Amino acid sequence: MCLSVPAKVLEIHGEMAKVSLGGIEYEASLQIVEDIQVGDYVLLHTGYAIQKLSEEEAMETLKLFEELKELNKQIEEEEKDERGRTD
Amino acid sequence: MQYIDEYRNKELANRLIEKISSLTSKEMFFMEVCGGHTWAIQKFGIPSLLPEKIKLLSGPGCPVCVTSKKFIDQAVAYSRLNDVIITTYGDLIRVPGSTSSLNEEKSNGADIRIVYSILEALQIAKDNPSKKIVFLGIGFETTAPGSAAGIINAAKEKVTNFFLFSSHKIMPPALAALIDEGVTINGYIAPGHVSTITGSHIYDDIPEKYGVGCVVSGFEPVDILQSIYMLVKQVYDNKFKVEIQYKRVVKPEGNVKAQKIMNEVFSFRDDWWRGFGILKNSGLGVNERYHDFDAERMIPVDVEETIEEKGCICGEILKGLKTPGQCKLFATVCTSATPVGACMVSHEGACNAYYRFNK
């Protein structure tokens, strides 16, 4: 029920937008989000866009390894401290 | 957004599992409270990847499962009025009421239509001016803003034959109630899309008051494993707080416009949750301003006595006190094709997910 899926905004007409979800086009309402532009990614839920994924956050998702490399680095640093503590 | 596979990256998942194991010294119980997480955890087999000592519990995160039987009985009563058309999300149709269900009423000729959005229901109301259209509003803070926006549109466009029957609920009171009732919980995997609307501050008193951490998680395997890693780290450091793992979608302040729209139409009220009974200020009722669009006020109806089904322990499963396998009816009398309890009906119910991915 609460699963929401990201879609790309193709056209905007008034409070409605045509969005593409994996190539399939839907009509979604923009009534509960703000400053949406054509080309943005939005999260869809029961016919509404509920959050805008701005390009950086979309890139953030796509640049997973950077973020996760950061996590790897953090894991390595912690392991180094631990080894420091236990040696 | 086709780049989903990175969040299913095996090498990274193994790395996180390694790290979780290295910090796991004692038994820890982490509860998810979102039907989407229930489903993803079972589908990706997350429990089998974790150290024995980490137990994942499924909480009251499926809106269909927590909906009271009385709500179903009242919806059935509305559907029997011949000037009413019921519009509802599909998950609710098969939920058993005391003596009937919407599916049964539909087969007896009641006008019950499945919709994907309240906006479709509103269109049905415009197309059928002589009928009363009742929309069954279930769901947490992810879904409630859409219902509120639908009611605002109905008022603006003077669609006076459109009514919301609300069973919308909010999440925090249930999180507190579980701990107050003594369920052992060392951390919450907090719901991703509820938090998209509300932001993460709604969970702040859980660590403050109860010393239980909350991590807002995404829905892919690496999201969930990373969130579990963050919770294990909080227990290891003995420092409990609210964190957002699902940063690509959830902002600390959430979607402020959606929150305003919700507050415009709804007011808090005590509400009945399956498994809990009444939880104070946990429900969203249509407020005075939109009185004319509230089915409960505008369409009086007699509702039969609620009868609870025997042997069904959905209430305990919703609180993580029992697992589906411990229910006598599970996978015998109660299957996804012939559901007895609500937790088996909805795809996000613990029993349905357990039955489909574990049987």
Side-chain angles (χ1 to χ4, degrees):
Chain A
M1 170 112 208
C2 64
L3 260 192
S4 305
V5 282
K8 192 161 194 169
V9 177
L10 303 178
E11 279 164 30
I12 294 176
H13 33 272
E15 280 208 315
M16 297 300 287
K18 185 191 279 182
V19 297
S20 155
L21 182 63
I24 305 167
E25 286 173 12
Y26 290 95
E27 278 292 308
S29 164
L30 301 180
Q31 199 172 346
I32 60 176
V33 277
E34 289 178 308
D35 35 298
I36 301 296
Q37 321 291 334
V38 171
D40 277 343
Y41 286 100
V42 287
L43 212 53
L44 285 192
H45 181 69
T46 63
Y48 287 90
I50 63 167
Q51 182 62 285
K52 168 179 157 177
L53 304 182
S54 60
E55 202 51 40
E56 315 90 55
E57 273 160 21
M59 291 320 293
E60 191 71 27
T61 304
L62 310 181
K63 276 201 273 87
L64 166 69
F65 287 111
E66 262 61 58
E67 184 188 322
L68 297 168
K69 243 191 235 129
E70 202 193 292
L71 172 68
N72 279 333
K73 226 169 49 240
Q74 189 201 338
I75 292 173
E76 258 125 34
E77 269 148 29
E78 279 152 22
E79 281 177 349
K80 243 186 266 129
D81 310 340
E82 262 162 53
R83 246 175 264 120
R85 248 186 269 152
T86 43
D87 286 354
Chain B
M1 195 178 284
Q2 35 325 27
Y3 298 92
I4 297 290
D5 348 329
E6 284 85 340
Y7 277 78
R8 298 182 179 182
N9 167 311
K10 205 156 165 265
E11 180 227 320
L12 183 67
N14 289 335
R15 180 78 211 197
L16 283 165
I17 293 160
E18 236 177 71
K19 195 54 208 164
I20 290 169
S21 310
S22 70
L23 294 184
T24 302
S25 53
K26 56 179 181 171
E27 202 170 47
M28 284 179 266
F29 295 86
F30 298 132
M31 178 178 274
E32 43 80 6
V33 271
C34 160
H37 285 147
T38 308
W39 189 82
I41 284 169
Q42 295 302 331
K43 178 182 176 193
F44 297 120
I46 304 277
S48 60
L49 305 172
L50 296 171
E52 252 303 293
K53 288 193 168 118
I54 294 191
K55 314 278 185 210
L56 295 187
L57 304 174
S58 182
C62 152
V64 168
C65 308
V66 298
T67 298
S68 68
K69 183 166 265 195
K70 183 171 180 307
F71 180 83
I72 303 292
D73 291 342
Q74 189 155 338
V76 162
Y78 283 143
S79 75
R80 288 176 177 155
L81 303 175
N82 48 37
D83 64 344
V84 164
I85 297 175
I86 295 284
T87 51
T88 175
Y89 296 125
D91 339 33
L92 214 51
I93 290 273
R94 297 194 311 152
V95 178
S98 297
T99 56
S100 179
S101 71
L102 291 169
N103 217 17
E104 253 172 76
E105 294 303 312
K106 192 174 162 61
S107 50
N108 298 341
D111 192 341
I112 297 172
R113 305 183 195 184
I114 293 177
V115 293
Y116 173 70
S117 167
I118 189 170
L119 297 174
E120 275 178 60
L122 193 53
Q123 190 54 50
I124 291 170
K126 292 177 194 165
D127 301 343
N128 296 275
S130 65
K131 295 273 183 174
K132 290 184 187 141
I133 280 65
V134 174
F135 176 73
L136 306 184
I138 65 164
F140 296 106
E141 295 96 329
T142 321
T143 318
S147 289
I151 293 294
I152 289 171
N153 292 358
K156 235 189 258 160
E157 296 162 43
K158 303 211 176 359
V159 187
T160 52
N161 63 324
F162 184 70
F163 307 92
L164 172 66
F165 181 27
S166 173
S167 179
H168 286 297
K169 293 177 168 52
I170 58 170
M171 189 49 76
L175 303 186
L178 282 162
I179 302 172
D180 287 336
E181 284 197 18
V183 181
T184 313
I185 297 169
N186 302 102
Y188 276 117
I189 299 170
H193 291 137
V194 162
S195 311
T196 299
I197 298 290
T198 61
S200 54
H201 297 308
I202 60 165
Y203 308 110
D204 285 347
D205 0 314
I206 302 290
E208 268 154 36
K209 215 173 137 198
Y210 297 103
V212 169
C214 297
V215 172
V216 177
S217 176
F219 294 85
E220 297 299 336
V222 170
D223 285 318
I224 295 168
L225 286 169
Q226 191 178 8
S227 302
I228 291 171
Y229 164 66
M230 291 160 86
L231 286 170
V232 167
K233 187 91 173 44
Q234 289 192 19
V235 173
Y236 184 81
D237 296 339
N238 203 25
K239 281 203 210 94
F240 301 101
K241 51 191 170 178
V242 179
E243 291 181 276
I244 302 175
Q245 179 276 334
Y246 194 33
K247 289 205 275 313
R248 59 187 186 278
V249 171
V250 176
K251 298 188 180 67
E253 72 284 4
N255 175 341
V256 176
K257 186 176 180 191
Q259 290 164 33
K260 277 199 196 109
I261 286 175
M262 256 193 341
N263 299 332
E264 158 79 8
V265 172
F266 292 122
S267 51
F268 293 122
R269 61 179 180 185
D270 299 350
D271 203 359
W272 201 94
W273 294 55
R274 189 187 294 264
F276 290 84
I278 302 271
L279 288 184
K280 278 205 92 31
N281 284 331
S282 65
L284 295 173
V286 180
N287 62 25
E288 230 0 77
R289 201 175 303 131
Y290 290 90
H291 170 288
D292 299 347
F293 299 92
D294 179 9
E296 288 172 270
R297 292 188 178 106
M298 300 299 287
I299 311 178
V301 73
D302 299 329
V303 184
E304 61 187 302
E305 239 347 86
T306 307
I307 310 163
E308 288 304 337
E309 59 274 285
K310 299 238 172 348
C312 168
I313 58 165
C314 275
E316 288 167 285
I317 286 173
L318 277 171
K319 293 199 261 189
L321 296 173
K322 291 254 176 67
T323 60
Q326 289 169 302
C327 173
K328 280 193 262 97
L329 311 180
F330 179 73
T332 52
V333 176
C334 185
T335 68
S336 60
T338 56
V340 171
C343 297
M344 183 60 91
V345 171
S346 164
H347 286 292
E348 299 179 34
C351 301
N352 186 290
Y354 207 86
Y355 181 79
R356 260 185 311 138
F357 296 116
N358 276 294
K359 203 170 44 27

